[in-house]
Amino acid sequence: MSAPLIMKFGGSSVADAACMRAVAALVQRYLPSSPLVVLSAMGKTTDALFRAARMASQGQLEEATEAHAALMQRHESAARDLIGGTLPEDLRAALATHSQELLTVLTGLSMVRELSLRSMDSVASHGERLSTLLFSHYLRACGLDVTLLDARRVICTDAKSGAATPQPRAIAKLAEELVRPHLGPGKVVVTQGYIGATVDGMTTTLGRGGSDYSAALLGAALHASEVQIWTDVEGVLTCDPRIVPDAQPIAELSFAEAAELAAFGAKVLHPATIQPAVEAAIPVTVRHTLKPDGRFSTIRGDVKSGRAITALATRGPVAVVTVTSSRMLDQSGFLARLFEIFGRYSISVDLVATAEVSVSVTIENDVDTDKALEEIRAFASANVVRERAIVALVGEQLRRTPGVAARAFTALRGTNIEMISMGANEINLSLVLAQRDAPDALRRLHAELLEGGA
Ligand code: ASP
Ligand code: MG
């Protein structure tokens, strides 16, 4: 029994017939590795489906019907482009069934004039079901041995519509029974990302962008050799390339580093979604569909690299609230009181740095702080500065590498650093500075810490 390879392709990778051809070529290349292909809906389809459902539920059935027609048209023309003039009877019948089913639901929504998460899930499921339908037919037309598997038979979830929780034990059992027999070198299994079902067969979804999660769940369930996330970037980069053009893909990074970067808005993947694979010690790679021989990133639970810093990230604008009180030192409960006030006004605090008589916190830039500050000023002085940015240095080796901070500060000499905070997980050193200084600071830090074999 060989371990399968999970190949997940996002919406942009299967956006049209040309993209699907590129994906098929990749699948052929990995055929000896027993591929299990997990697909998203064709790019923008999920949004279009949600829109159609919303229109229908608002009584705009005509608009919804037009959207439905456009959607079916897009899939049919992609099918024709892939397979040629006349579509095989079973594909035509399957497309007609989808069309009918979707139209029935939309009509129903327009009659009841309501839209539950449950209906949304059922509408949205057509996106992935259609993309996999086309793709599996295309692979078959290419002469491959293909099994199209309805993910709802395997991805067992609870009934929390809109973002259901998968049930890994049930999934492992079902995957063993229903997927394993179809896997093997030279064969392909194609299934949908994002969608699942409850034990009693109600369609659910894992939440937006959930296809990565599906891939990781199937990878863990089937003890895959690797989970490949194919997308439109060459992996996770050392910095945002729009700010630092020299940013490079990170060859290997740890799960904690990936999570830290995602928290700063690196939107390549949501770490929670790959957790099942990482926990099962299965490497997750992020690769570029159109540059399959290019570079890529591998994410593992634990990575022992020699470098001090893995990547830089930034978030902003943010605001910094500084509270100063000479009584802070000997007054127990000072911080508790402060955070109770923030809590009451729903001001969510991100970074915290404390000194002898003051504490600084970052919050969102546009939060109204007037009332909270008024209360705080009853026992301390407080001020807020806006338009700041957080610049974070992220690296597993940060804590073990002496001199990194010194190098960072040397690189930033002349820049006013207003706040410094070491993340509790010790892999994140965050600096706060004026938002306008952030791009230049990132470029200088990148040059010092991440270029030239640093
Ligand atoms: N198609 C779904 C979405 O757009 C799931 C995914 O692409 O991962 O959110
Ligand atoms: Mg995605």
Side-chain angles (χ1 to χ4, degrees):
M1 183 192 79
S2 66
L5 169 67
I6 313 294
M7 302 180 78
K8 180 263 170 179
F9 294 90
S12 64
S13 298
V14 293
D16 56 27
C19 293
M20 286 204 194
R21 279 198 196 90
V23 170
L26 273 173
V27 172
Q28 303 228 29
R29 174 200 289 218
Y30 285 98
L31 219 43
S33 309
S34 310
L36 165 53
V37 178
V38 178
L39 295 190
S40 286
M42 290 173 76
K44 309 231 168 25
T45 302
T46 311
D47 288 332
L49 285 163
F50 278 147
R51 258 197 317 275
R54 235 172 267 123
M55 286 189 285
S57 69
Q58 287 159 6
Q60 300 163 292
L61 184 58
E62 208 174 301
E63 288 89 336
T65 312
E66 273 165 29
H68 163 268
L71 213 94
M72 289 315 301
Q73 170 65 37
R74 180 177 175 204
H75 285 87
E76 272 159 31
S77 64
R80 237 173 267 117
D81 189 336
L82 286 169
I83 292 159
T86 33
L87 302 180
E89 188 46 44
D90 54 344
L91 175 54
R92 253 193 300 160
L95 284 168
T97 307
H98 272 286
S99 177
Q100 193 54 55
E101 202 183 302
L102 195 48
L103 197 57
T104 306
V105 180
L106 292 173
T107 310
L109 291 175
S110 80
M111 288 163 79
V112 296
R113 293 278 184 117
E114 70 172 19
L115 186 56
S116 61
L117 288 172
R118 187 189 286 221
S119 324
M120 288 275 237
D121 279 351
S122 129
V123 170
S125 74
H126 286 277
E128 271 70 10
R129 288 158 64 199
L130 281 163
S131 68
T132 49
L133 176 69
L134 300 194
F135 188 68
S136 58
H137 271 270
Y138 176 56
L139 290 184
R140 217 164 276 143
C142 295
L144 268 58
D145 179 349
V146 187
T147 305
L148 173 59
L149 174 90
D150 191 327
R152 295 174 296 179
R153 296 177 66 200
V154 178
I155 302 292
C156 181
T157 73
D158 69 1
K160 198 156 79 311
S161 298
T165 305
Q167 314 291 308
R169 286 239 233 121
I171 294 171
K173 186 165 170 287
L174 291 164
E176 219 41 70
E177 260 168 42
L178 302 172
V179 188
R180 180 84 68 194
H182 301 287
L183 290 167
K187 302 201 281 189
V188 192
V189 177
V190 175
T191 195
Q192 302 85 20
Y194 179 53
I195 68 173
T198 59
V199 257
D200 47 11
M202 179 180 86
T203 298
T204 55
T205 64
L206 303 178
R208 292 308 304 267
S211 296
D212 294 343
Y213 202 3
S214 306
L217 287 164
L218 289 167
L222 292 160
H223 314 288
S225 55
E226 176 185 338
V227 174
Q228 299 179 332
I229 308 284
W230 291 90
T231 176
D232 50 10
V233 286
E234 286 177 284
V236 184
L237 302 182
T238 51
C239 195
D240 183 339
R242 288 166 303 181
I243 303 173
V244 179
D246 285 333
Q248 304 293 324
I250 303 160
E252 279 214 317
L253 68 163
S254 71
F255 180 71
E257 288 169 334
E260 203 63 50
L261 293 174
F264 279 90
K267 56 179 176 27
V268 182
L269 45 84
H270 225 289
T273 64
I274 61 161
Q275 194 154 15
V278 172
E279 270 172 10
I282 298 166
V284 176
T285 58
V286 178
R287 300 164 183 262
H288 196 313
T289 308
L290 301 178
K291 296 181 193 164
D293 297 311
R295 289 173 295 177
F296 60 92
S297 295
T298 304
I299 301 163
R300 297 175 197 277
D302 197 15
V303 168
K304 308 232 177 325
S305 77
R307 69 188 168 225
I309 300 286
T310 299
L312 302 174
T314 189
R315 179 162 62 226
V318 297
V320 177
V321 176
T322 301
V323 177
T324 308
S325 167
S326 53
R327 286 169 300 166
M328 179 177 159
L329 206 53
D330 45 39
Q331 201 175 316
S332 65
F334 182 89
L335 289 176
R337 199 166 164 196
L338 193 60
F339 282 95
E340 187 275 323
I341 295 171
F342 286 137
R344 203 148 23 78
Y345 288 100
S346 303
I347 296 174
S348 85
V349 168
D350 190 3
L351 301 183
V352 181
T354 54
E356 288 275 285
V357 293
S358 71
V359 51
S360 293
V361 302
T362 60
I363 60 172
E364 275 174 49
N365 196 52
D366 44 13
V367 168
D368 181 357
T369 50
D370 290 353
K371 290 216 184 72
L373 291 195
E374 202 181 298
E375 282 197 35
I376 293 168
R377 286 189 184 121
F379 60 93
S381 68
N383 75 302
V384 55
V385 230
R386 298 184 194 265
E387 309 303 328
R388 310 290 100 181
I390 301 172
V391 165
L393 288 66
V394 175
E396 285 278 358
Q397 303 297 318
L398 194 57
R399 63 191 144 189
R400 288 186 218 105
T401 316
V404 189
R407 283 172 68 195
F409 293 125
T410 307
L412 293 182
R413 102 192 123 236
T415 306
N416 191 22
I417 299 164
E418 299 169 2
M419 181 175 159
I420 300 168
S421 166
M422 183 81 188
N425 58 7
E426 296 188 331
I427 69 163
N428 170 349
L429 178 67
S430 289
L431 314 174
V432 178
L433 31 83
Q435 165 94 343
R436 63 172 182 280
D437 291 337
D440 182 54
L442 285 163
R443 284 190 282 270
R444 284 197 269 158
L445 288 169
H446 198 271
E448 170 63 29
L449 298 166
L450 286 156
E451 290 165 34

